[in-house]
Every structure is written in C-alpha cells, then in structure tokens.
Amino acid sequence: MSEAHAIKQHRFGETSRTDRWWIQPVAVFSILSSFIIYATWAGMQGANYFFHEGGAHYLSPLYSPLLYGLAHEPRVFSAIQPGWWPDFLPFSAAILILAGPAGMRITCYYYRGAYYKAFWADPPACAVGEPRKSYLGENRLPLILQNAHRFFFYIACLFVLVLSYDAFKAFWFLSGDGSKAFGIGVGSIVLLLNAFFLGCYTLGCHCSRHLFGGRLNCFAKAKVSKKCYDCVSTLNQNHMQWAWVSLVWVGFSDVYVRLCAMGTWTDWRIL
Ligand code: FES
C-alpha cells in the first residue's frame, strides 16, 4: 500500500472498498436502537406483561423473573413493589431485572464489535477510515468494565433457566375446576422459542466454551466435557445469528404477551 493511499484511508469514511459496507452498520444501528427504545418503553409500563385469560400462563420475558406484582401474577415476593422504592418514582418490576440480560448483551464480544462500528464508527467497517487518529482499546474506564462479561454470562444462564420454566408453564392451562391441563397455544410456542433462542445464544458464548473446555489440558481424559465443548463450539460458530434471532424474539415475545393481555390479539389454542 502506498503512503498516499494509507493517508487517504485515514479520513473518516474513506475507503477503497467498492461493496455496500455501510449496510451492516446501518442495520445494526437501526435494529439495536429500535430494540433499546422498545424495551425501555415496555419495561417502564408496569402493565400488560402477564396474560392469563382462558387459563393461560404467559409472562413477558422482559419481566421474568417477576419479583413483585399483583396477587394473580407469578411473583416472587408478595408485595406489589418493594418497600424501599421511592414514592416519587414510578415502579415497574422489569427495572429490577433488566440489568442482567442487558449486561450480557452490552459486554458480548460479538455485539461489541457490531455496536462499536455502528454507534461510534470505531471504525464504521473494516478498512474504512474512522473519525479518530488513535486506538485507545478497552484498557481504561468505562470500557475496561467489558471484562465483566464472564460474570454476566453466569447471570444470563440463570435467566435462561427461569425463561425455560416460564415456557414450560405456558403449556399448562388452568381449568374451571382449578386443575391444570396440558395444552398448546400460539403463546406457548412463542415463549418456548424464546427460551430456545436465548439458550442457543447464551450457550454459544465464548465464556461457555471456556467453561466446558478452555480449562482442560487433555480432552481425551474428559470425554463428557469434550462433547459439551463441541456442542457449544457449534453454537459459537453461529453466535452472531443467535444474537440477533434471540434479541428480536425477546421483543416479539413481549409484543405477543402484551397485545394478548390488552385484548388486541387473540391467543389461538392449537390443543
Ligand atoms: S461472547 Fe456473546 S454472549 Fe458471550
């Protein structure tokens, strides 16, 4: 590469690339921004996150685990809201839990690469000039906190377990006599897919690979770990796809439960 060419590429947005390199950062910016705006709005509503008409048991993933809520809702504590919550602040149970999954996404190795490009052009795309001259890395605050990813991974695993339990409960419908019967509604499938997609995203995390195989020196002596390592490595190869599918489906799951709870959509029973 000539010196003149190298200098030219240092200008913001300049590149020798002839493909439509800007599509990916624009798409990432649009989808992530839309999700953040929607999730913030939905998380602040504090209503229509639980659908129980017809004996159904659908809880929005943005509110699960539901720590506080009304008597008929599957809450952990019996109160509507914590006693220490300031009166002047509107309360929503989602506020108490969203930091866990949000921390997992924000510190995710894939998302970091994507939103560094899309939100602050660092760089906008590979081989495209960026609006700064030096590389600062993630070696000082606040970006050094990205190293907490492995801890968010453990928290995210707990969320996957909770959401899997929610999906299981979505297949049991309350009858008129108070007993529960197995059934399948469209919402059951929506919540099952939600747990599945999130499980594939979480288990495909780089921390998951380290957990199952990274600490081993010899795979031949740890056959079970090797099998697990191979499985999560397969998921890891499609980590980007799982990241987007699971993100979009979390949003759609909340939309589904919300619109059913509002009476806008009807939850069709398949069985
Ligand atoms: S690297 Fe993406 S969730 Fe861990």
Side-chain angles (χ1 to χ4, degrees):
M1 184 185 296
S2 71
E3 190 178 333
H5 190 62
I7 290 170
K8 190 179 175 193
Q9 284 201 334
H10 275 104
R11 291 187 201 146
F12 177 44
E14 285 203 71
T15 181
S16 302
R17 290 178 61 169
T18 54
D19 61 331
R20 294 180 183 166
W21 58 264
W22 47 269
I23 289 180
Q24 190 168 334
V26 168
V28 169
F29 182 85
S30 305
I31 298 173
L32 269 185
S33 302
S34 304
F35 181 82
I36 291 167
I37 291 168
Y38 176 76
T40 305
W41 174 83
M44 294 298 294
Q45 296 307 297
N48 297 317
Y49 51 78
F50 182 58
F51 176 65
H52 60 104
E53 297 299 319
H57 189 288
Y58 301 160
L59 177 61
S60 162
L62 295 182
Y63 284 78
S64 184
L66 186 64
L67 299 182
Y68 296 90
L70 299 174
H72 67 282
E73 296 172 350
R75 66 210 192 284
V76 175
F77 302 109
S78 57
I80 294 175
Q81 68 179 65
W84 47 264
W85 191 261
D87 290 339
F88 61 90
L89 276 181
F91 176 75
S92 167
I95 297 172
L96 302 177
I97 58 159
L98 282 183
M104 172 78 164
R105 302 254 177 195
I106 290 169
T107 59
C108 165
Y109 293 103
Y110 162 68
Y111 276 119
R112 275 146 72 175
Y115 72 76
Y116 284 3
K117 290 183 178 74
F119 281 79
W120 55 83
D122 192 21
C126 294
V128 178
E130 56 188 306
R132 57 188 64 76
K133 297 214 174 349
S134 58
Y135 173 71
L136 300 176
E138 295 173 328
N139 56 6
R140 65 183 72 174
L141 284 172
L143 293 184
I144 199 170
L145 296 177
Q146 302 278 31
N147 289 309
H149 183 60
R150 74 191 72 172
F151 303 111
F152 283 112
F153 164 72
Y154 298 129
I155 294 171
C157 287
L158 296 178
F159 273 87
V160 170
L161 290 177
V162 170
L163 293 172
S164 300
Y165 182 62
D166 286 346
F168 171 77
K169 295 197 86 173
F171 283 87
W172 294 92
F173 293 80
L174 201 59
S175 311
D177 61 1
S179 63
K180 287 192 174 171
F182 179 79
I184 302 175
V186 173
S188 317
I189 295 170
V190 169
L191 294 181
L192 180 66
L193 286 175
N194 180 60
F196 175 73
F197 292 150
L198 281 173
C200 290
Y201 167 61
T202 304
L203 288 176
C205 172
H206 296 290
C207 300
S208 172
R209 293 185 77 219
H210 176 76
L211 184 70
F212 286 111
R215 63 201 157 73
L216 296 174
N217 289 326
C218 178
F219 274 135
K221 293 180 184 162
K223 291 197 165 42
V224 175
S225 291
K226 172 74 167 63
K227 272 267 177 253
C228 295
Y229 180 76
D230 288 344
C231 285
V232 297
S233 295
T234 304
L235 292 173
N236 181 265
Q237 285 169 11
N238 297 306
H239 194 51
M240 179 183 78
Q241 286 85 346
W242 291 121
W244 288 115
V245 169
S246 60
L247 183 90
V248 170
W249 205 262
V250 166
F252 176 70
S253 300
D254 180 84
V255 168
Y256 187 86
V257 173
R258 185 168 297 281
L259 292 183
C260 286
M262 292 168 68
T264 308
W265 280 0
T266 301
D267 177 58
W268 295 102
R269 289 283 296 275
I270 300 166
L271 189 70

